[in-house]
Amino acid sequence: MNNNFNNLPIGVFDSGVGGISLLAEMIWTMPSEQFIYLSDSANAPYGPKSCNCIRDISVSAARLLMEKGIKALVVACNTATSAAITFIREEFELPVIGMEPAIKPAVEKNGQGKIIVLATPLTLKETKFYNLFQRFNCCAEIIPIPCPGLAELIELEARPEKIREYLSNIIGDAIRIQFDEISTVVLGCTHYCFIREEISQVIGPQAVVIDGTEGTARHVLRILDDGGLLAAEGNKGPSVKFLTTGDPKQVIPLCERFLAKALKKDRLKLLPLK
Ligand code: DGL
């Protein structure tokens, strides 16, 4: 691959700010890269929509990023991955990387305890999750809990008390066991990475909270490396440009706030992507 192509940005999208948790992890993992992040806020939330509808809006989001000139696409959304990843891969020749709930590492680390998986209703309804569940359910007790409305609360930057109240109600209604019997919580939606603290406060300190962002960022690095697609060291990265299908005046500052949170504030200086 020629250097000009390698120095193109990596496109990333989600329904909103959730995928910024993965974006931050990729910035740490690949600091020479440039990123374009699309917050598909005009179509958010994805979670309660039908599979066909998510397929169509995800393919449109992917097209929008492709038109900007990218070298790879990361679907930073478990819901869009479940409904649309095969369709996106059929349409585009570039590497397309998706996300799935991190059940495998949860089972490997968990031992005998009970694992709950928090995700959108669509993610938990789809075949992709069913297959994952079937593969690991023999080794551990896995309890999927759909969380309608939770991504929306996070987008609205709801207060921690409101998030904790939501979580105790939804988890309390879904399971018959005490919260202290839960050994692991799998975050099956990229938005939920931003409420790890509230989740730990509600479930208790014994529970390990696992998300797929680190593993996915490493996977993206491997795919780019194997394809000879990594940016040259000393490229203009790390840099990020935010795009949105929603109102940029409202959404772009929101994205910047969430990126600052995910990067742990000032630990890294980002350059503007021109
Ligand atoms: N962040 C998304 C996910 O990982 C979806 C949130 C939503 O729009 O419902 O599933």
Side-chain angles (χ1 to χ4, degrees):
M1 276 303 154
N2 71 50
N3 253 351
N4 288 345
F5 188 82
N6 285 25
N7 291 344
L8 286 176
I10 298 168
V12 187
F13 81 89
D14 181 33
S15 62
V17 295
I20 292 173
S21 51
L22 174 59
L23 173 67
E25 212 46 64
M26 290 193 288
I27 289 170
W28 284 114
T29 312
M30 296 169 281
S32 295
E33 300 294 339
Q34 305 186 69
F35 299 89
I36 301 187
Y37 183 95
L38 172 67
S39 168
D40 190 14
S41 312
N43 295 307
Y46 286 0
K49 294 192 164 64
S50 73
C51 187
N52 284 348
C53 177
I54 297 167
R55 191 176 301 159
D56 291 346
I57 55 186
S58 302
V59 170
S60 302
R63 280 187 197 139
L64 209 154
L65 283 166
M66 296 287 175
E67 281 160 16
K68 300 285 167 200
I70 54 173
K71 64 178 175 183
L73 176 73
V74 177
V75 181
C77 174
N78 294 264
T79 311
T81 302
S82 311
I85 197 95
T86 37
F87 295 85
I88 299 175
R89 286 194 178 125
E90 267 167 26
E91 185 165 330
F92 304 104
E93 276 172 24
L94 301 176
V96 177
I97 298 113
M99 295 211 68
E100 65 179 20
I103 293 186
K104 184 170 183 269
V107 169
E108 281 164 3
K109 284 186 196 152
N110 156 72
Q112 292 306 304
K114 296 177 170 66
I115 300 173
I116 64 167
V117 184
L118 307 178
T120 67
L122 193 281
T123 298
L124 298 179
K125 255 191 277 179
E126 278 306 294
T127 326
K128 209 168 187 313
F129 180 78
Y130 177 78
N131 292 341
L132 200 62
F133 179 85
Q134 289 298 325
R135 211 168 121 207
F136 293 104
N137 198 36
C138 50
C139 334
E141 188 176 337
I142 303 169
I143 309 165
I145 305 181
C147 300
L150 184 53
E152 291 94 304
L153 282 179
I154 296 163
E155 290 276 330
L156 290 169
E157 299 178 279
R159 299 172 65 78
E161 309 84 82
K162 196 151 184 192
I163 300 280
R164 284 197 294 267
E165 190 191 333
Y166 175 99
L167 289 168
S168 9
N169 290 336
I170 200 103
I171 301 167
D173 286 349
I175 58 177
R176 300 272 159 268
I177 53 172
Q178 300 295 318
F179 286 5
D180 61 9
E181 291 176 57
I182 299 168
S183 71
T184 315
V185 183
V186 175
L187 306 184
C189 168
T190 48
H191 277 77
Y192 307 166
C193 298
F194 291 101
I195 54 161
R196 296 180 78 99
E197 227 170 283
E198 289 83 350
I199 291 171
S200 290
Q201 286 160 354
V202 168
I203 307 288
Q206 83 292 342
V208 181
V209 181
I210 296 186
D211 68 69
T213 58
E214 238 185 274
T216 307
R218 278 200 309 271
H219 184 56
V220 175
L221 170 66
R222 256 193 319 270
I223 300 270
L224 293 182
D225 197 12
D226 291 351
L229 286 171
L230 286 172
E233 254 174 68
N235 182 34
K236 293 177 213 114
S239 63
V240 176
K241 186 187 173 86
F242 285 114
L243 299 177
T244 182
T245 53
D247 173 9
K249 280 201 216 75
Q250 189 255 321
V251 178
I252 306 296
L254 184 74
C255 288
E256 286 167 352
R257 279 203 294 287
F258 273 78
L259 181 60
K261 262 190 246 179
L263 285 172
K264 316 270 182 317
K265 305 243 161 29
D266 302 325
R267 278 163 59 200
L268 189 76
K269 249 211 151 23
L270 283 174
L271 305 165
L273 192 147
K274 299 268 163 19

